[in-house]
Structures are given as structure tokens and as C-alpha cells.
Amino acid sequence: MRPLVVGIVNVTPDSFSDGGQHATPQAAVAHALALVEEGADALDVGGESTRPGATPVPADEEAARVVPVVAALRERGVALPVFVDTRKAAVAAAALAAGATMVNDVSAGLDDPAMLATAARAGAGVVLMHKQGDPATMQRAPRYGDVVEEVLAHLVARADAAQAAGVPPERIWVDPGIGFGKTFAHNEALLRALERFVATGRPVLLGASRKAFLGAITGRPVLERLAGSLACAARAAQAGVRAVRVHDVAATVDLLAVLDRVAPP
Ligand code: PMM
């Protein structure tokens, strides 16, 4: 089965990859609708940049960014799953009430102790991502003994915690968190080991689109990393990943459609 394509809708003035192009709710809704046209299977709406060095956003401001976007998408009849990318239970609760179906938490429920129970109460799914440290400081000196074993163990434990909190088991996804407290070597090791994450039995989401390690490999600035991003989507498909979180939906949909037809079963 080919991975689902989750289109990124950042409602932030300072996202690393799309530089605040969709900073107002109106612009974000227009962008989201364009991604639906391009063939997205789901949308991921976020109101707090988690790029390295980003400053935190208060909950009310973050909710004011994302909730109107989720609500407008539902009002316009968008029926796709909508993820809310947040580390705050209050933002998640408001977005779920407005029609979001899944909480994408880059802290895997650790930054806000109410997060997992909030998702469970709403009957929502969760994406539990691994990160080391906080966005403000995480890229200063990431260190691991064995990055693959440590990220795997962390995600298995967080998925168990989500299940214990009452999130339906089939709706608990895990994500190795490319670029979140990782050196280039760590990111490469995780991408090489994607099958290990799939083998946990939890659906895996991969977010590699336009990230810095692609710049390190190709020498390209952020808006010229499409080929690198597509290579990661192909790698994800090969490994049996459930979903890829991407900026370039149309190109990713094409890539996966062709791969699906030509790859041996
Ligand atoms: N990456 C970013 C933000 N949210 N969520 C998940 N689950 N996985 C990721 O890799 C991830 C994420 C940062 O990228 P962006 O600024 O392009 O949104």
C-alpha cells in the first residue's frame, strides 16, 4: 500500500520551509484547498513553528491561528482527515472540536501532560514524534549512544502511554522526528532503519520534506529540495511507512503513483 500524503499547512510567520507564506488564516485555507486539489490524503495544520531556534507561541495565539483554518476547511466541505500539529492540549482540544481528527504532537505527549487524555477523550488519533530537547536548543549538540535503538525505544514507550491513556491502538502513529535534535548522521541512520520502525507494528509517519539534511547532501537551499524530498518519499514507500508529511503534494502523489505501478510486489 502506498503511503498517504499529508500536506503541510503552516499558519506561522516563521516556518523554516515556507517562510510564513500562509501566515493568515485566509491564506492558509487557500493553501490547504490547493493541496486538496493536488491530491493530498490528509492535511496537517500547525500554528507554532518547531524549526530549530524557534520561539514558543502562547496557547491562545496558537489556537487563534489554527482553529479558524480547521473550521473553514470543514465549512467548505473538505472531508479529509485533518491533523493539528501542536504540543498543547488546549490547542488540540479546540482544533478537535472544530473538526480535526488527529493530533500531531512533536513532543509525543510529553510537553503537556494533558495531551494524551485530551486526544483519547475526543476519540482522536495521535502522531507521536521523537525529539531530543526543545526546538530552541535541540540542534546545539544532539547526542545518542545508538540513535536507532534509542528513538525506537522512546516511541514504543510513548505509544504504550497513549494506549494506556485510552487512544484507540490503531490510531497511534509514530515518527522518528527527522531533524529534531539530530545530526545529519543521526538523520541518515534513522532513514536507513525505517523498516525497524515499521516492524513495531505502529503506523509510521515520516517528515523529511525540505529539511536541512537534504541541503547538506545536495547543497540546495530550502526551496530547491524537491528532488531530495521525493527521494525520501520513495524511501518511505519502500520501507512500508504509512504516511509522508510533505510540502510538495502534487509531485509526491505522482512519485508514489508511479512507484506503486513499477515496484515489485
Ligand atoms: N516536522 C516539522 C513539524 N512538524 N511533525 C511530525 N509528525 N513530523 C515531522 O517531521 C515534523 C512535524 C517541521 O517541519 P515544517 O517546519 O516544514 O513544518
Side-chain angles (χ1 to χ4, degrees), residues 10 15-17 50 85 104 106 129 175 180 207 211 245 247:
N10 283 324
S15 178
F16 92 93
S17 51
T50 45
D85 188 342
N104 173 22
V106 301
M129 198 198 78
D175 177 344
F180 283 81
K211 284 190 176 171
R245 179 183 178 279
H247 302 89

Side-chain angles (χ1 to χ4, degrees), residues 202-251:
R202 302 285 186 186
V204 175
L205 180 141
L206 183 75
S209 183
R210 299 186 186 172
K211 284 190 176 171
F213 82 100
L214 298 173
I217 296 171
T218 62
R220 303 268 180 202
V222 66
L223 294 177
E224 294 174 20
R225 295 180 189 156
L226 176 58
S229 303
L230 293 174
C232 288
R235 170 73 190 110
Q238 176 190 46
V241 160
R242 177 70 59 92
V244 288
R245 179 183 178 279
V246 303
H247 302 89
D248 300 288
V249 167

Side-chain angles (χ1 to χ4, degrees), residues 1-256:
M1 197 174 64
R2 80 157 179 78
L4 302 171
V5 176
V6 181
I8 300 172
V9 183
N10 283 324
V11 202
T12 54
D14 59 347
S15 178
F16 92 93
S17 51
D18 44 21
Q21 284 168 50
H22 321 298
T24 66
Q26 293 83 347
V29 170
H31 181 60
L33 294 172
L35 297 184
V36 173
E37 283 297 303
E38 290 181 27
D41 299 301
L43 298 167
D44 183 42
V45 181
E48 179 191 45
S49 173
T50 45
R51 78 183 154 75
T55 41
V57 180
D60 53 352
E61 191 176 326
E62 192 184 331
R65 291 179 184 174
V66 297
V67 172
V69 175
V70 174
L73 291 172
R74 292 307 186 214
E75 275 158 28
R76 285 166 187 246
V78 173
L80 298 179
V82 174
F83 299 18
V84 57
D85 188 342
T86 184
R87 299 184 283 162
K88 301 184 188 78
V91 176
L96 293 169
T101 48
M102 189 115 169
V103 179
N104 173 22
D105 182 354
V106 301
S107 80
L110 287 172
D111 283 359
D112 188 333
M115 183 61 101
L116 297 178
T118 297
R121 238 187 337 266
V126 290
V127 181
L128 303 169
M129 198 198 78
H130 175 275
K131 69 176 171 64
Q132 186 180 87
D134 276 315
T137 55
M138 65 190 178
Q139 286 308 107
R140 276 187 202 154
R143 289 174 79 133
Y144 298 84
D146 180 324
V147 65
V148 172
E149 296 302 336
E150 287 175 37
V151 173
L152 262 173
H154 178 83
L155 292 177
V156 167
R158 296 313 299 155
D160 289 348
Q163 200 162 324
V167 180
E170 68 284 0
R171 308 204 60 198
I172 299 172
W173 296 14
V174 296
D175 177 344
I178 298 300
F180 283 81
K182 280 122 189 157
T183 64
F184 299 136
H186 295 143
N187 292 319
E188 287 173 358
L190 291 167
L191 281 156
R192 269 190 236 110
L194 280 179
E195 283 83 353
R196 301 273 316 276
F197 292 84
V198 173
T200 63
R202 302 285 186 186
V204 175
L205 180 141
L206 183 75
S209 183
R210 299 186 186 172
K211 284 190 176 171
F213 82 100
L214 298 173
I217 296 171
T218 62
R220 303 268 180 202
V222 66
L223 294 177
E224 294 174 20
R225 295 180 189 156
L226 176 58
S229 303
L230 293 174
C232 288
R235 170 73 190 110
Q238 176 190 46
V241 160
R242 177 70 59 92
V244 288
R245 179 183 178 279
V246 303
H247 302 89
D248 300 288
V249 167
T252 308
V253 167
D254 284 359
L255 169 101
L256 293 173

